[in-house]
Amino acid sequence: MTTQNKIKVAQFGLGPIGLEALKLAASKPWADIVGGVDIAPEKIGRDLAELTGLPALAGRKVYPDIEALLAAARPDVVLHTSVSKFAAAAAQIEPIVQHGISVVSSSEELLCPAFRDAHLAARLDSLCQRHNARVLGTGVNPGFVMDVLPVVMTGVSRSVSRVSAQRVVNATTRRGPLQRKIGSGWTPAEFERRFAEGSAGHAGLKDSVALIAHCLGWKLDNITETGRAMVADHDITTPHVQVKKGQCCGLHQVGVATMNGRSVIELDLKMYLDAPDPHDAIQIEGEPPLRVRIEGGVAGDHATVAAVVNAVPRVLAARPGLRVMTDIAAPCLA
Amino acid sequence: MTTQNKIKVAQFGLGPIGLEALKLAASKPWADIVGGVDIAPEKIGRDLAELTGLPALAGRKVYPDIEALLAAARPDVVLHTSVSKFAAAAAQIEPIVQHGISVVSSSEELLCPAFRDAHLAARLDSLCQRHNARVLGTGVNPGFVMDVLPVVMTGVSRSVSRVSAQRVVNATTRRGPLQRKIGSGWTPAEFERRFAEGSAGHAGLKDSVALIAHCLGWKLDNITETGRAMVADHDITTPHVQVKKGQCCGLHQVGVATMNGRSVIELDLKMYLDAPDPHDAIQIEGEPPLRVRIEGGVAGDHATVAAVVNAVPRVLAARPGLRVMTDIAAPCLA
């Protein structure tokens, strides 16, 4: 494959996930990394070879915005891994799309963006179509185990009456920021207060519910979400946090959708320290009934980066517009 | 939804699977059944309401070929459930495609048709593009559990070194023709002789292997297939067959692909009477490793019909051409 045939890739957001995405993309024979964008002053101007430890990226720089990047290189696609909220993501993505450049994002609220803001989604879709660009939100959760995979299972269903999924993540084996984000060491009341005000908890559970409903054509009454602290029943020490018995050691978050007064979607997520039996499970009630289990579960961080990078060729092959995972080609390693 | 907006559907092949596909399609609010095609003299001219037991289909007839159907109605899509072999399927499908009508087929060898006959696949693809039609092969096995689902799982993989899957079907709970097809009551030697000559065994295992390799971009050394008899360890009586201890009660078929001398894909299928613990399982070796299990497995006949009908809207939305399941939108209930 010559450099001319390769997909030119830039990375927007050079935090831990962005750097991992960049490194994975750089390992693909189809990708040619052309540069990065980050607003952090200490990153601007630095060389991607230095930031990633990959000598092959020498000469590719970090720019403060997309215009500065475009003065040096023209990507076909931008990997966007900087923010969770749709409005914030759209503000960063619109200037990229205006140049006819497609975007694959890990923004949780881009999974099913019309659910978050139908008006903004229509505007971004229209911008994409005008400039022949595609925008997609993906990841592992949201983006795969509790939404796309259940939807894919219904491909062999004659009828579906209810979809449920459970995900249990042992946070002890995960990175420090995640161990802190789930409230490790807080009081249970502190976690629940912060969850209620939106400053703690897993982002994207409602988006997973919304994507399932969108795909099945279900007009929901509403989607509710609860978040409780998991309480440590023993002292726990990891390289990153210390938790005493009785303190919060993680979260138990549940998203439920009702239709005609009946619960039709229920997604149950537990992420906590020393969680036994980590796994993902899906049940499709209908004909035939389906019960799926992923032993050990799908590891979040590494797999999220994989989902973003793997989506690139499929996004570029899709029709222009704001796309969701279930209207581009079936997921696949790229 | 008005009749004008509906997808006009015709059924090609009115055997047991075709009739089930027709009945399921007729239950969909988006489908308008316009007629059927079958070569059997005793079916030609009959009313689909009578054949299916669905009064709503009154006035839709069975025609001897696509030209006769077209004189009465113009489908947007034809459900094709008549033959397994690619060459035979292509001979039936080409006259349909020439009218710009798309086809969703349960033909096992249409799952990854270029593997069976690259020249014929290219010709059919070109015909589709010239006439703005799409052709897709789908089903449950092949078509989902041992090929599309493993491929979809790799969408969250950073790397994949090997794919394996096992399917155990308890044939006692299945229809009579399947119980006979797997060799129930034959001697084990008789099953193995017939398997070797190609007149017994499960069709499509090599096609599943080929689709996985196609999606992962693997250039295989070769694909080998073995078929052994499962031998009854007790007398078995079903409503359809009687098997004595020591006779064949089903099959154990294995497809293996090697690349650079190493086994990289292994699909292991057991279908036999009184099989304990029916299930489907998938292992992806790579980063992260993935272990998936479907408790009880995906029921074959009903789900095959669902896969065919569910694919219709996604096939019509795809680019013209000969398509495989992994280059149209992700599977979903329709």
Side-chain angles (χ1 to χ4, degrees):
Chain A
M1 194 182 284
T2 65
T3 304
Q4 283 71 39
N5 293 332
K6 290 188 179 187
I7 298 171
K8 292 188 167 51
V9 177
Q11 174 63 43
F12 191 108
L14 291 161
I17 299 287
L19 283 174
E20 281 304 307
L22 192 54
K23 287 197 272 189
L24 182 61
S27 76
K28 300 291 180 184
W30 47 261
D32 177 23
I33 310 297
V34 299
V37 173
D38 201 294
I39 55 165
E42 72 276 15
K43 287 178 186 159
I44 293 166
R46 288 179 68 186
D47 196 292
L48 292 182
E50 180 201 345
L51 283 171
T52 60
L54 298 176
L57 298 188
R60 281 78 159 182
K61 301 289 185 191
V62 180
Y63 301 91
D65 55 42
I66 191 74
E67 302 298 337
L69 171 70
L70 282 171
R74 202 202 134 77
D76 302 304
V77 67
V78 168
L79 309 182
H80 174 264
T81 58
S82 57
V83 292
S84 290
K85 297 285 180 193
F86 179 29
Q92 294 174 339
I93 288 170
E94 284 183 351
I96 303 173
V97 165
Q98 274 162 353
H99 290 284
I101 298 165
S102 294
V103 176
V104 179
S105 176
S106 64
S107 164
E108 288 89 345
E109 291 189 1
L110 266 170
L111 184 76
C112 190
F115 160 68
R116 290 288 174 181
D117 186 335
H119 178 75
L120 183 56
R123 194 178 80 188
L124 184 54
D125 182 56
S126 156
L127 197 70
C128 284
Q129 299 201 29
R130 202 151 64 244
H131 296 281
N132 194 34
R134 294 101 179 123
V135 170
L136 175 83
T138 191
V140 162
N141 186 31
F144 192 75
V145 289
M146 300 186 93
D147 38 53
V148 172
L149 187 55
V151 166
V152 163
M153 293 306 304
T154 72
V156 292
S157 298
R158 293 170 59 94
S159 65
V160 175
S161 57
R162 190 166 192 273
V163 176
S164 53
Q166 303 83 42
R167 178 164 165 86
V168 176
V169 176
N170 177 8
T172 303
T173 62
R174 300 289 295 276
R175 63 200 167 93
L178 181 116
Q179 292 183 3
R180 287 183 284 273
K181 187 183 83 168
I182 60 175
S184 301
W186 299 351
T187 66
E190 174 77 358
F191 173 82
E192 282 157 28
R193 187 184 62 74
R194 293 208 203 184
F195 180 85
E197 73 185 26
S199 68
H202 164 77
L205 200 63
K206 279 186 166 182
D207 304 82
S208 291
V209 174
L211 184 65
I212 293 170
H214 162 76
C215 291
L216 296 178
W218 287 354
K219 305 292 175 219
L220 301 177
D221 306 332
N222 59 40
I223 302 175
T224 57
E225 191 179 30
T226 55
R228 294 297 169 96
M230 294 296 291
V231 178
D233 61 6
H234 61 287
D235 294 353
I236 304 169
T237 301
T238 79
H240 311 289
V241 297
Q242 283 205 326
V243 175
K244 295 282 175 204
K245 181 176 171 177
Q247 290 182 329
C248 177
C249 65
L251 59 78
H252 181 194
Q253 204 165 322
V254 182
V256 174
T258 59
M259 184 166 63
N260 304 324
R262 200 172 63 80
S263 160
V264 290
I265 304 173
E266 181 176 312
L267 305 183
D268 186 300
L269 173 66
K270 290 179 180 164
M271 302 176 79
Y272 64 106
L273 300 174
D274 285 5
D277 189 25
H279 69 276
D280 299 317
I282 297 162
Q283 301 84 37
I284 312 285
E285 291 173 28
E287 188 190 4
L290 296 167
R291 284 168 296 156
V292 183
R293 186 178 162 97
I294 305 175
E295 211 53 58
V298 180
D301 298 340
H302 273 197
T304 292
V305 162
V308 168
V309 173
N310 288 340
V312 167
R314 302 193 331 271
V315 165
L316 293 178
R319 280 181 300 128
L322 176 58
R323 297 278 157 251
V324 297
M325 275 292 279
T326 46
D327 48 35
I328 70 169
C332 181
L333 177 76
Chain B
M1 193 182 283
T2 65
T3 305
Q4 283 70 39
N5 294 331
K6 291 188 178 186
I7 298 171
K8 291 187 168 52
V9 177
Q11 174 64 43
F12 191 108
L14 290 162
I17 299 287
L19 283 174
E20 280 305 307
L22 191 56
K23 286 196 272 187
L24 182 62
S27 76
K28 301 292 181 183
W30 47 261
D32 178 23
I33 309 297
V34 300
V37 173
D38 202 293
I39 54 165
E42 72 277 14
K43 289 180 186 157
I44 293 165
R46 286 179 69 186
D47 196 292
L48 292 182
E50 179 201 346
L51 283 172
T52 60
L54 298 176
L57 297 188
R60 281 78 159 182
K61 301 289 185 189
V62 181
Y63 301 91
D65 54 43
I66 191 74
E67 302 299 335
L69 171 71
L70 282 171
R74 201 199 135 79
D76 302 303
V77 66
V78 168
L79 310 183
H80 174 265
T81 58
S82 57
V83 292
S84 291
K85 298 286 182 192
F86 180 29
Q92 295 174 339
I93 288 171
E94 284 184 350
I96 303 173
V97 165
Q98 273 161 354
H99 291 283
I101 298 165
S102 293
V103 175
V104 179
S105 176
S106 64
S107 163
E108 290 88 344
E109 292 190 359
L110 265 170
L111 184 75
C112 190
F115 159 68
R116 289 289 173 181
D117 186 336
H119 176 77
L120 183 56
R123 192 178 83 189
L124 184 53
D125 182 56
S126 154
L127 197 70
C128 284
Q129 299 201 31
R130 199 151 67 244
H131 296 282
N132 193 35
R134 295 100 178 124
V135 170
L136 174 83
T138 189
V140 163
N141 187 32
F144 192 75
V145 290
M146 300 188 93
D147 37 54
V148 172
L149 188 56
V151 167
V152 163
M153 293 306 303
T154 72
V156 293
S157 298
R158 294 170 59 93
S159 64
V160 175
S161 57
R162 189 166 192 273
V163 175
S164 52
Q166 303 82 41
R167 178 164 166 86
V168 176
V169 175
N170 177 8
T172 304
T173 63
R174 301 288 296 275
R175 63 201 166 92
L178 182 116
Q179 293 183 4
R180 287 183 285 272
K181 187 183 82 168
I182 59 176
S184 300
W186 300 351
T187 66
E190 173 78 359
F191 173 82
E192 283 155 30
R193 187 183 63 73
R194 293 207 202 185
F195 179 85
E197 72 184 26
S199 69
H202 165 78
L205 199 63
K206 280 187 165 181
D207 304 82
S208 291
V209 173
L211 184 65
I212 293 170
H214 162 76
C215 292
L216 296 177
W218 288 354
K219 305 291 175 219
L220 301 177
D221 306 333
N222 59 40
I223 302 175
T224 56
E225 192 179 30
T226 55
R228 294 295 169 99
M230 294 296 290
V231 178
D233 61 6
H234 60 286
D235 293 354
I236 304 169
T237 301
T238 78
H240 311 290
V241 297
Q242 283 205 326
V243 175
K244 294 282 176 203
K245 181 175 171 178
Q247 290 182 329
C248 176
C249 66
L251 59 79
H252 180 194
Q253 205 164 322
V254 182
V256 174
T258 59
M259 184 166 64
N260 304 323
R262 200 173 63 80
S263 160
V264 289
I265 303 173
E266 181 175 314
L267 305 183
D268 186 301
L269 172 66
K270 289 178 180 164
M271 303 176 79
Y272 64 106
L273 300 175
D274 285 6
D277 188 26
H279 69 277
D280 298 318
I282 297 163
Q283 301 83 36
I284 312 285
E285 291 173 27
E287 189 190 1
L290 296 168
R291 283 168 296 156
V292 183
R293 186 179 163 96
I294 305 175
E295 209 55 55
V298 179
D301 298 340
H302 273 196
T304 292
V305 163
V308 168
V309 173
N310 288 339
V312 167
R314 304 196 325 274
V315 165
L316 292 179
R319 280 182 299 127
L322 176 58
R323 297 280 157 248
V324 296
M325 275 293 279
T326 45
D327 49 33
I328 70 169
C332 181
L333 178 77

